[in-house]
Amino acid sequence: MRSALLTAVLAGVAVQAAPSPMAARYDHEKRLRFRVDGSFHLSVFSDLHFGEKQGTAEGHKRDEKTITVMNNVLDADPTDLVVLNGDLITGDASTTKNMSGYVDTIVQPMVKRGIWWASTYGNHDSSQNLDPRNILEHETRHPGALTASMAKGKEVGVTNYVLQVYPSNCTHSGKDTKTDRSGKPCVPNMLLWFFDSRGGEWFGRKGKDGKPVPRPNWVDLDVVRWFRKTSVDIRRQHGKVIPSLAFVHIPTNATNFVQGEVRGDDNPGINDETPVSQQAQYWCKDGTWGGKGNAKCRWGEQDVPFIRALSGTEGLMAVFSGHDHGNTWCRRWHEVIDSENIQGNNINLCFGQHTGYGGYGDWVRGGRHIVVTEELLLKFAIDTYIRLETKVAVGRVSLNSTYNRDRYPITKNDKTFL
């Protein structure tokens, strides 16, 4: 049975017509660009977990409150791009059959505002009953979706792609995008990378024991190869390093490595989940599933190639993850991971904020807001903060060359309840 919210949402989708003034800043090829004032704003929603306890009054209430969180955050921070950073749906409680209604509900806050959005999928977006490929197919029926699938391979996941963001003086003229001043083709001044860390269960598969088959929970090696090649190709095409941001649902072991150095006034945010639940958790080094809680297979190291690729990508300013609902901090990674001899490249490793009323934990809900300006890009720096469901902003930081040494107010560890 559909809730009144879902019915209203579907009706809203049907009547949505003229694009908002915000959407008018983009051309018909869905090219993103900086505002006239030289800024670009992103709102990141993590761990929405729609569809838990479906068909019950509590399940409907959870989803309705999650939509309220999204609306409050977007009302407080007009944004240019929303990132849905994994676990849109709780797949073990949902099915491919009812997935479409949840997707329609999830995207409605952006649809009604005419805002573009882009997704990564998380471990809960794939289960024996839920195929993430079907989520992508339905999500991209909406004209505001920029979610894509670019990396090729047998089991690489779904949401691996890159978006290019163009300068504020880039205008559209006919089939060519040109700058106002020189008339030359525009060159993007920021890249947004999206990766599928997979996880969960394989859709439609059962093991010999009749149980669901675990799905690898790290960025696949074929995706790493695609990332490296595409990065080089873009740099050669434009003849320069382009600053970039990356989004992936499950954090890497590099995030786990720096967690021990997180301090409340250096790296404001909640730090309640230790250690980080990183990629390749509970997988053995031989590629077999070790099982949750298996001390012998605490970390299989399959995410090492991805970590190396991130640390070797010049111009990558920050990587944003979800997955751990009780972690909301950022830390600048410059140390060497001795066990793997991987040098941090001063990338900021960040968590978002648990957005949904589905999923575990009662940490206050909200979203992470990211502000990039063309001026800050010259220094490979960005500003970011958490916008809570109460519309209060906390944890404002500048991810610049002195982050980790600057001092900020400590973030309160508040809770919100259903």
Side-chain angles (χ1 to χ4, degrees), residues 37-190:
D37 67 2
S39 68
F40 190 83
H41 296 246
L42 304 94
S43 291
V44 184
F45 295 128
S46 303
D47 299 280
L48 298 169
H49 285 278
F50 272 80
E52 286 195 6
K53 299 189 176 181
Q54 59 174 317
T56 68
E58 180 181 336
H60 295 327
K61 186 176 181 180
R62 287 178 183 272
D63 291 348
E64 288 170 353
K65 287 181 74 72
T66 299
I67 287 292
T68 298
V69 175
M70 297 172 72
N71 281 326
N72 286 351
V73 169
L74 293 177
D75 287 345
D77 290 310
T79 192
D80 303 305
L81 178 70
V82 168
V83 176
L84 304 177
N85 204 9
D87 284 0
L88 283 65
I89 301 172
T90 298
D92 49 359
S94 307
T95 65
T96 293
K97 184 177 293 185
N98 63 20
M99 166 275 303
S100 59
Y102 290 125
V103 172
D104 290 338
T105 304
I106 290 167
V107 305
Q108 178 60 11
M110 289 76 78
V111 169
K112 72 180 183 181
R113 291 172 174 81
I115 304 173
W116 300 107
W117 73 89
S119 302
T120 70
Y121 296 157
N123 51 298
H124 283 279
D125 294 311
S126 181
S127 73
Q128 188 177 20
N129 300 316
L130 182 64
D131 189 339
R133 294 172 297 183
N134 289 340
I135 300 177
L136 176 67
E137 191 276 333
H138 193 80
E139 186 182 345
T140 52
R141 291 182 184 180
H142 295 273
L146 298 179
T147 310
S149 186
M150 293 182 180
K152 306 300 181 184
K154 185 177 179 181
E155 297 179 341
V156 299
V158 180
T159 51
N160 301 292
Y161 58 105
V162 62
L163 297 177
Q164 303 182 55
V165 187
Y166 289 84
S168 57
N169 64 350
C170 183
T171 59
H172 182 70
S173 176
K175 294 183 178 180
D176 299 318
T177 303
K178 299 180 179 180
T179 60
D180 287 335
R181 299 184 184 124
S182 65
K184 295 180 180 179
C186 281
V187 173
N189 56 359
M190 183 169 67

Side-chain angles (χ1 to χ4, degrees), residues 253-254 257 299 307 333 335-344:
N253 190 254
F257 175 78
W299 172 53
I307 297 172
W333 172 37
E335 304 91 345
V336 175
I337 301 180
D338 294 331
S339 60
E340 302 299 329
N341 193 29
I342 303 176
Q343 172 69 59

Side-chain angles (χ1 to χ4, degrees), residues 130-323:
L130 182 64
D131 189 339
R133 294 172 297 183
N134 289 340
I135 300 177
L136 176 67
E137 191 276 333
H138 193 80
E139 186 182 345
T140 52
R141 291 182 184 180
H142 295 273
L146 298 179
T147 310
S149 186
M150 293 182 180
K152 306 300 181 184
K154 185 177 179 181
E155 297 179 341
V156 299
V158 180
T159 51
N160 301 292
Y161 58 105
V162 62
L163 297 177
Q164 303 182 55
V165 187
Y166 289 84
S168 57
N169 64 350
C170 183
T171 59
H172 182 70
S173 176
K175 294 183 178 180
D176 299 318
T177 303
K178 299 180 179 180
T179 60
D180 287 335
R181 299 184 184 124
S182 65
K184 295 180 180 179
C186 281
V187 173
N189 56 359
M190 183 169 67
L191 303 176
L192 303 175
W193 296 97
F194 299 83
F195 299 101
D196 191 338
S197 49
R198 303 181 297 171
E201 303 163 354
W202 286 111
F203 170 69
R205 297 188 190 178
K206 289 184 179 180
K208 293 180 179 179
D209 57 1
K211 295 181 179 180
V213 178
R215 187 169 175 247
N217 60 352
W218 59 85
V219 174
D220 187 78
L221 186 58
D222 281 337
V223 175
V224 174
R225 295 186 181 110
W226 165 83
F227 173 42
R228 287 183 179 276
K229 181 180 185 304
T230 305
S231 298
V232 171
D233 289 347
I234 292 175
R235 180 171 179 174
R236 287 176 177 172
Q237 178 185 356
H238 300 296
K240 68 173 186 176
V241 173
I242 300 177
S244 61
L245 303 174
F247 302 89
V248 62
H249 179 66
I250 304 178
T252 67
N253 190 254
T255 310
N256 184 37
F257 175 78
V258 304
Q259 185 180 37
E261 300 302 320
V262 169
R263 301 290 181 267
D265 55 351
D266 293 348
N267 317 103
I270 302 167
N271 190 23
D272 277 0
E273 294 197 63
T274 305
V276 167
S277 298
Q278 78 275 13
Q279 295 180 30
Q281 184 179 36
Y282 300 135
W283 285 79
C284 304
K285 292 183 180 180
D286 63 3
T288 59
W289 169 242
K292 291 185 178 180
N294 188 327
K296 294 182 179 179
C297 296
R298 175 71 180 79
W299 172 53
E301 302 183 15
Q302 288 88 350
D303 62 333
V304 168
F306 182 52
I307 297 172
R308 290 190 186 279
L310 293 174
S311 67
T313 301
E314 192 175 358
L316 181 57
M317 299 178 290
V319 180
F320 296 90
S321 300
H323 194 56

